[in-house]
Amino acid sequence: MIREDESQTGELIQGTLEMLVLRALTRCPMHGYGVAEWIHQTSQQVLKVEEGALYPALHRLELRGMLSANWGVSDNNRRAKFYQLTAKGRKRLCAESQRWARVSAAVAFVMQAT
């Protein structure tokens, strides 16, 4: 689950976590904690990805061929699995980004309706 950090409640639309993970990995390979921190920092500390949702999402994306993974050593000298976006993952991110733009515009339109 991704939750708003301050309110401690609320889930985002289904599929959003995977889209955010794919987006995080466009920059460079990262381990799970790095992905979660990037999302948290980039969202201006609004979104917090819980471990119980993040690692299954990473595993699903890897199984679907959207991510590849290799073991390495993290900045704090611990063994960690580093994930990297594949061509299939880039294609999926493009499609999900377009879908998100349509959905978020539609929600904004409804919220502005009188």
Side-chain angles (χ1 to χ4, degrees), residues 8 19 22 26 31-33 35 38 44 49 57 63 70 76-77 82-83 86 92 98-99 103 106:
Q8 305 286 319
M19 179 181 64
L22 293 173
T26 59
H31 51 73
Y33 180 78
V35 170
W38 185 88
Q44 299 176 339
V49 182
L63 287 175
N70 293 300
N76 62 359
N77 218 20
F82 285 79
Y83 297 89
T86 64
R92 174 71 182 272
Q98 291 171 359
R99 183 189 69 84
V103 169

Side-chain angles (χ1 to χ4, degrees), residues 11-77:
E11 290 186 39
L12 295 180
I13 296 170
Q14 185 175 0
T16 304
L17 174 58
E18 290 184 2
M19 179 181 64
L20 294 175
V21 167
L22 293 173
R23 175 62 183 98
L25 292 169
T26 59
R27 299 174 45 249
C28 61
M30 282 191 254
H31 51 73
Y33 180 78
V35 170
E37 280 299 301
W38 185 88
I39 292 169
H40 187 66
Q41 291 173 1
T42 305
S43 71
Q44 299 176 339
Q45 288 72 40
V46 173
L47 302 176
K48 185 164 180 68
V49 182
E50 296 178 357
E51 286 183 31
L54 177 62
Y55 289 100
L58 287 166
H59 186 68
R60 279 193 310 275
L61 289 166
E62 184 181 7
L63 287 175
R64 293 179 188 154
M66 292 179 224
L67 301 179
S68 60
N70 293 300
W71 287 98
V73 178
S74 68
D75 292 340
N76 62 359
N77 218 20

Side-chain angles (χ1 to χ4, degrees), residues 101-114:
R102 285 191 312 274
V103 169
S104 61
V107 169
F109 185 75
V110 169
M111 294 304 294
Q112 293 172 4
T114 55

